[in-house]
Amino acid sequence: MIYLIDYNINEAQCIINDYNPSLLRFDKHIFKNWFERGFTHEYISKCLFEKIPLGINKTSENRFKLIYPNEINRNMDLYIIIEIDDYRNIKVITAYNFNKNRRERLKER
């Protein structure tokens, strides 16, 4: 997808802060293996709109990776990949768990 606007991390954070959670969309990809991943739509929404991320990275044009603590397993982080379109709509592309040691090792460097 080609965008006219290329948001930076600060703009993405403002868009998330001002966004209406009831308008959050989920890509069809996220529904594959949903139950095995160990989190819910509600927890993803809670992370995005009520929690401060442990980290945020811009991965490509208008695509961002946000890192949150895993709801159940303290040894894991929850990575949420979102995309923001030119109309400031947010879509969750995917979400997955990852060992938090990766983030902590990077922090130590």
Side-chain angles (χ1 to χ4, degrees), residues 8-77:
N8 62 39
I9 290 174
N10 289 334
E11 291 168 326
Q13 288 177 304
C14 289
I15 291 168
I16 293 167
N17 289 339
D18 295 338
Y19 201 72
N20 180 347
S22 66
L23 299 176
L24 184 65
R25 297 176 298 141
F26 291 86
D27 190 77
K28 64 183 176 182
H29 171 78
I30 200 166
F31 296 109
K32 293 180 182 179
N33 304 320
W34 183 258
F35 296 107
E36 291 86 21
R37 295 188 182 200
F39 47 82
T40 63
H41 287 93
E42 292 80 18
Y43 186 65
I44 289 176
S45 184
K46 183 177 182 177
C47 286
L48 290 173
F49 304 114
E50 298 177 22
K51 295 181 177 274
I52 297 172
L54 300 171
I56 180 170
N57 296 321
K58 182 172 180 162
T59 61
S60 63
E61 185 180 32
N62 295 339
R63 192 170 281 198
F64 301 88
K65 175 173 64 177
L66 296 101
I67 304 171
Y68 295 93
N70 183 289
E71 183 176 29
I72 299 167
N73 187 340
R74 290 181 160 206
N75 296 320
M76 302 295 280
D77 285 334

